[in-house]
Amino acid sequence: MTAEKRIPVMEIFGPTVQGEGMVIGRKTMFVRTAGCDYSCAWCDSSFTWDGSGKDDIKLMTACEVLEELKRVGGDTFAHVTLSGGNPALLRHLGELVRLLREQGIGTAVETQGSRWQDWLLEIDEVTLSPKPPSSGMTTDWDMLDDIVERLQSNGNGFSLKIVVFDEDDFDYAVKVHRRYPDVPLYVQSGNSNLNERDNQKLLSLSMAAYERLVERTMASTELRDVRVLPQLHTWLWGNKRGV
């Protein structure tokens, strides 16, 4: 792997419990990559793209990433989550995906659906998480349509996840569900208290946000076949990084 094809890794940690989306509760290791094509207003991993974490970036080969996963996690894991930032920016991440598959290790990834990579077809669980209005980002519907069609045609296990902070976000989730009615949809309460260091206070705020989302969803005539999630890792560890 040439220098240009090394993976920009921010952190490797775990095993831990996956806190979001279709694999919530799953025991997994995390590989967090640097770089994103979005800059969401409420991003909880802005250090991957805003320059504040640039000194933490390590350029690693796929083999080096696997070695570090085994050093950190030992023999305690059989699943790896590729996170970011946006891992789908990295064409050569496919080498790691294939290496993990050869080792009998399952994979998951979350991406906003703004970029396509062929290695997405090799991922066991793909979560597409287009960003709602509160993020300040604009959805490229043509690109998202294309990605959904490719994954559906391949028979991949994939889902959509919308983080909801307010009524506009909830309406956006409804719009997404109308557009892709056959794709499993998860709606998840967002964390708008990224600077809160009192974990008990944050837990109370997070539970209240989740309760509001549950109430909205239960009353909806359109979101009848969805799953409503909290942000589990926030409940457990607050705003702590690397868990």
Side-chain angles (χ1 to χ4, degrees):
M1 183 179 283
T2 65
E4 292 77 14
K5 290 186 177 181
R6 288 177 178 265
I7 301 165
V9 177
M10 297 290 305
E11 54 185 355
I12 294 174
F13 61 91
T16 187
V17 173
Q18 170 60 259
E20 302 187 0
M22 67 188 292
V23 286
I24 192 169
R26 179 71 186 261
K27 181 179 181 180
T28 189
M29 294 290 290
F30 272 84
V31 176
R32 187 182 300 281
T33 60
C36 194
D37 49 331
Y38 278 18
S39 54
C40 296
W42 35 252
C43 180
D44 61 1
S45 53
S46 57
F47 59 88
T48 63
W49 53 262
D50 67 4
S52 62
K54 64 179 186 296
D55 293 338
D56 295 331
I57 299 173
K58 295 181 180 179
L59 297 178
M60 305 175 70
T61 66
C63 288
E64 288 170 343
V65 172
L66 178 61
E67 289 172 3
E68 182 65 4
L69 283 165
K70 291 185 174 181
R71 186 192 71 79
V72 174
D75 295 325
T76 64
F77 70 96
H79 189 270
V80 170
T81 298
L82 305 176
S83 184
N86 183 10
L89 294 177
L90 305 173
R91 180 181 302 174
H92 49 280
L93 201 54
E95 184 170 339
L96 175 60
V97 174
R98 288 184 285 276
L99 187 58
L100 291 169
R101 182 178 292 275
E102 289 169 5
Q103 297 282 317
I105 298 171
T107 53
V109 70
E110 180 172 321
T111 175
Q112 58 261 41
S114 60
R115 297 288 184 93
W116 172 259
Q117 300 294 347
D118 288 343
W119 55 259
L120 288 169
L121 297 176
E122 302 176 60
I123 296 285
D124 296 300
E125 295 124 353
V126 176
T127 296
L128 299 178
S129 184
K131 305 309 177 188
S134 64
S135 69
M137 300 293 103
T138 300
T139 301
D140 183 339
W141 294 106
D142 289 340
M143 174 60 73
L144 189 57
D145 287 348
D146 180 64
I147 292 173
V148 167
E149 183 179 355
R150 287 174 185 245
L151 292 172
Q152 283 182 321
S153 297
N154 192 63
N156 274 56
F158 80 104
S159 67
L160 287 154
K161 186 195 81 176
I162 308 299
V163 180
V164 175
F165 287 85
D166 55 32
E167 289 295 340
D168 288 341
D169 290 354
F170 190 83
D171 291 342
Y172 177 88
V174 171
K175 179 179 179 179
V176 169
H177 193 47
R178 285 176 186 158
R179 194 175 187 99
Y180 312 109
D182 297 326
V183 181
L185 175 65
Y186 295 74
V187 290
Q188 179 179 298
S189 52
N191 175 16
S192 57
N193 301 280
L194 297 177
N195 295 317
E196 181 58 64
R197 295 295 172 241
D198 184 331
N199 285 1
Q200 285 304 118
K201 182 177 180 181
L202 181 59
L203 176 59
S204 179
L205 292 168
S206 298
M207 291 180 71
Y210 179 56
E211 185 176 8
R212 289 193 296 272
L213 179 58
V214 168
E215 290 173 351
R216 286 190 189 119
T217 307
M218 296 309 106
S220 173
T221 59
E222 296 206 61
L223 296 186
R224 293 179 294 177
D225 185 21
V226 300
R227 292 170 175 82
V228 190
L229 302 179
Q231 201 176 48
L232 184 59
H233 57 280
T234 300
W235 286 22
L236 291 171
W237 298 293
N239 287 315
K240 184 178 179 181
R241 179 176 159 182
V243 291

